[in-house]
Amino acid sequence: MLEDEIDYESLPENAGLSVHMLAGALAGISEHAVMFPVDSIKTRMQVFATSPVAVYSGVGNAFTRIKSTEGIRALWRGVSSVILGAGPAHAIHFGTLEAVKELAGGNQAGNQVLATSLAGASATIASDAFMNPFDVVKQRMQLHKSEFRTVWACARSVHFTEGLSAFYLSYPTTLAISIPFNAIQFTVYEHIKRFSNPRNDYSPSTHIVAGGIAGAIAAAVTTPLDVAKTILQTRGTAKDADIRNVRGMMDAFRVIWARDGIKGFGRGLTPRVLTIMPSSALCWMSYEFFSTWLPLSLSLATINAYLFAAEALIRND
């Protein structure tokens, strides 16, 4: 059968940049859309809310209270911003990832740790530059009693009241999160995948387990930075002068320490891990699936086109 003749291990090298970018885009949209309600809870738990109604003791408590006071749809506010940005951003991410990994020799024996870490970091710098404004809009819409109901209304308001720089104020912090996050995630994923699947066969269970573990570890390690990023991205909605005047990551750290001490740096840890662990598993499974399926479908399309043309020639003769 044709499926038995597919060399899964050779697909990433032969599939081409466009296939990796398309696979990454589809994986990114799948990843973010599925776990978005938990991400909304994480955002709310990380901000220093002034209203007692918006202070939550845990994920279950937050879900129950948001559902009863605002309706279940409130947990999905901002998802359109993610969908608009995640596809292109993940296409950029995975395209850069595979290109740098190939150039650095990550697909060859030896020096794979350095090559894969470099590939993960490079991919992050490129994709986050595109995604950061969408993430700012998303988090503004996720907040308790957010006044924004559309992506464009939120983007226009942020630009008008705070200027273009507001969309990139958190970018250095985002990179400070994403570079170690993706380097850790990609390196752990590759090692677990190679250990549990040495033949590198297409194995959804392997991709799910490896992706989930890698995502959970990376999420836990980078949570303190994520709290600072949330403060930077939502400062324009804060009523507290100290938060509104935050200008960078160190300012955000000082605010967190002053308000909540060391435990403040772990705000939203549980929903962050709960969001990223399954979404990372889904993302890697989707990416590996599309990386396998797309080249096959393109090959079959090419074969079908050739047979159709040949049949037409025979009929003409």
Side-chain angles (χ1 to χ4, degrees), residues 44 82 100 117 162 256 269 275 304 308:
R44 292 189 181 211
V82 167
V100 175
S117 297
E162 301 172 58
I256 296 167
L269 172 63
T275 298
N304 287 334
F308 180 81

Side-chain angles (χ1 to χ4, degrees), residues 170-231:
S170 62
Y171 182 56
T173 306
T174 299
L175 289 180
I177 298 170
S178 297
I179 290 177
F181 178 93
N182 284 286
I184 292 168
Q185 180 184 221
F186 191 63
T187 302
V188 172
Y189 175 78
E190 286 290 316
H191 275 73
I192 294 176
K193 187 177 76 167
R194 292 178 190 277
F195 175 78
S196 59
N197 185 18
R199 294 180 55 189
N200 205 27
D201 297 323
Y202 176 61
S203 172
S205 60
T206 297
H207 305 320
I208 290 173
V209 172
I213 293 174
I217 293 173
V221 170
T222 58
T223 292
L225 290 163
D226 190 61
V227 179
K229 185 191 79 168
T230 297
I231 289 176

Side-chain angles (χ1 to χ4, degrees), residues 70-155:
E70 301 174 63
I72 195 69
R73 293 181 62 184
L75 290 168
W76 290 96
R77 279 205 305 263
V79 70
S80 54
S81 182
V82 167
I83 292 173
L84 285 171
H90 277 69
I92 293 169
H93 179 89
F94 280 104
T96 305
L97 184 73
E98 294 296 337
V100 175
K101 182 183 174 185
E102 176 65 25
L103 289 172
N107 292 321
Q108 302 171 1
N111 297 323
Q112 290 178 346
V113 173
L114 178 61
T116 53
S117 297
L118 177 62
S122 300
T124 296
I125 292 172
S127 62
D128 279 353
F130 179 88
M131 187 64 189
N132 211 80
F134 291 95
D135 199 45
V136 171
V137 171
K138 178 206 76 170
Q139 290 204 310
R140 297 289 180 101
M141 296 179 70
Q142 286 177 324
L143 295 178
H144 174 66
K145 290 188 176 180
S146 173
E147 62 184 288
F148 307 113
R149 291 297 179 269
T150 68
V151 172
W152 312 117
C154 183

Side-chain angles (χ1 to χ4, degrees), residues 3-64:
E3 289 84 350
D4 296 331
E5 297 173 3
I6 299 172
D7 182 1
Y8 171 70
E9 187 172 5
S10 69
L11 286 173
E13 290 79 12
N14 298 333
L17 184 62
S18 61
V19 170
H20 288 295
M21 292 182 72
L22 180 56
L26 294 171
I29 293 172
S30 302
E31 169 193 357
H32 289 289
V34 171
M35 297 305 300
F36 191 83
V38 184
D39 182 71
S40 293
I41 291 173
K42 182 220 70 169
T43 295
R44 292 189 181 211
M45 292 181 70
Q46 286 183 336
V47 298
F48 290 95
T50 55
S51 171
V53 180
V55 178
Y56 313 107
S57 60
V59 177
N61 174 258
F63 180 83
T64 301

